Amino acid sequence: MADEPPRPSENDNQDAEADPTRTPDADRESNPPADEPSAPDAEPETESDTEEEPESDVEQVPDEVRKYERFTKMDGAEYDRVNEFLRDRTYITAREWAIARLCADFRTETGVEMTKIGENLPELVPFMTDTYTPQAVNQARSSFEDKVRQAGATFLYGAMSGFFTAEELDDMMYEVTEVAKFLLEVEGVDLSVEEELEAEDRISGVMREVRSASEQLRHDELECPNCGHEMEAAEADASAEADD
């Protein structure tokens, strides 16, 4: 009797079972049976057999995304640098800033196109590198709105509480207005000198009204906080204007 071929050891069987890449089909392709005929040489492709190349990524991007020109001044900017700038001067993050602007720009009659924003976020904003789900877009927008509301309440309380003089509030308004204008310019808004001055005048006018209203609110009992003199409403108005 001819010697039987050696049986594979237990370890050999375990190695074969543990290798998920080895499949019967793979073994068949690497070691075809001797009696199977080899495949005939492939005929050269004709022009009609050539498959069309898939469309490029640029062609698959929606037109309104390719034509979007905001944030073009930020080409080459890194997220961390943008985020650090905003963290030093505002409550918002770079993610919240960018997505809030996109939600305002991609708003339709039926709502915000959050899916389009999330899927094309890297194409829309140079410093954003990942796509977002619609839920993540909505969360970032909601976070932006909450922070603006909280910052507004904080500022108005400071302006109305009497903690700052009129001059201090003017200086503060100048600083925050400069930051806001810079962000608008980065987004692509070109402000002329006349437009900047007009905006500053309007903001100053609003702040004067805020100070006047806060004075009346804090003097609602018509009693002077300094001397205790009881004032008429007209006197209170005159006192608030004098503070300006």
Side-chain angles (χ1 to χ4, degrees):
M1 175 181 290
D3 293 338
E4 294 182 358
R7 296 182 178 180
S9 64
E10 185 176 355
N11 290 337
D12 292 336
N13 288 330
Q14 290 176 347
D15 292 340
E17 293 175 358
D19 185 1
T21 61
R22 291 187 62 83
T23 62
D25 291 339
D27 292 339
R28 181 180 180 86
E29 290 174 3
S30 59
N31 300 304
D35 56 350
E36 284 192 3
S38 59
D41 295 338
E43 297 181 358
E45 292 183 349
T46 62
E47 183 177 355
S48 59
D49 294 333
T50 304
E51 295 183 358
E52 295 182 359
E53 295 182 357
E55 294 181 356
S56 64
D57 292 338
V58 176
E59 294 177 348
Q60 295 175 358
V61 175
D63 289 342
E64 55 270 34
V65 172
R66 284 191 285 110
K67 295 177 181 178
Y68 192 73
E69 296 182 350
R70 291 200 191 269
F71 301 107
T72 54
K73 295 181 180 180
M74 303 290 287
D75 287 344
E78 296 180 357
Y79 179 88
D80 290 342
R81 294 290 301 276
V82 178
N83 201 47
E84 181 181 358
F85 175 87
L86 290 172
R87 285 290 196 182
D88 290 342
R89 296 164 178 83
T90 72
Y91 279 148
I92 59 176
T93 65
R95 174 182 74 102
E96 293 162 348
W97 172 42
I99 289 180
R101 168 51 60 194
L102 293 174
C103 287
D105 290 345
F106 285 85
R107 178 180 294 277
T108 65
E109 295 180 355
T110 57
V112 178
E113 298 177 296
M114 295 188 180
T115 299
K116 181 180 295 183
I117 292 172
E119 291 178 349
N120 298 281
L121 192 55
E123 286 76 24
L124 292 165
V125 184
F127 56 82
M128 300 297 291
T129 58
D130 296 327
T131 59
Y132 274 43
T133 63
Q135 292 79 10
V137 172
N138 185 51
Q139 189 276 333
R141 181 187 66 164
S142 177
S143 179
F144 174 86
E145 293 174 350
D146 289 343
K147 289 182 178 181
V148 170
R149 193 175 296 110
Q150 292 169 356
T154 304
F155 174 77
L156 280 179
Y157 170 69
M160 297 174 64
S161 62
F163 293 156
F164 304 98
T165 65
E167 292 75 15
E168 289 173 337
L169 280 177
D170 285 340
D171 292 341
M172 188 184 303
M173 282 304 303
Y174 175 79
E175 293 177 5
V176 299
T177 301
E178 287 300 305
V179 174
K181 287 192 300 183
F182 176 77
L183 294 180
L184 289 173
E185 291 172 357
V186 168
E187 292 178 4
V189 177
D190 294 325
L191 297 175
S192 65
V193 176
E194 292 77 10
E195 290 173 332
E196 291 185 9
L197 293 176
E198 182 182 354
E200 291 176 359
D201 289 342
R202 289 201 304 268
I203 293 172
S204 297
V206 171
M207 291 310 302
R208 283 194 295 270
E209 293 179 3
V210 169
R211 288 197 297 269
S212 177
S214 65
E215 288 285 345
Q216 296 180 37
L217 180 64
R218 287 185 284 117
H219 298 166
D220 55 354
E221 296 180 356
L222 299 180
E223 181 177 307
C224 177
N226 298 320
C227 64
H229 170 67
E230 292 186 1
M231 298 181 294
E232 298 293 335
E235 290 182 280
D237 292 342
S239 176
E241 292 177 358
D243 290 339
D244 292 339

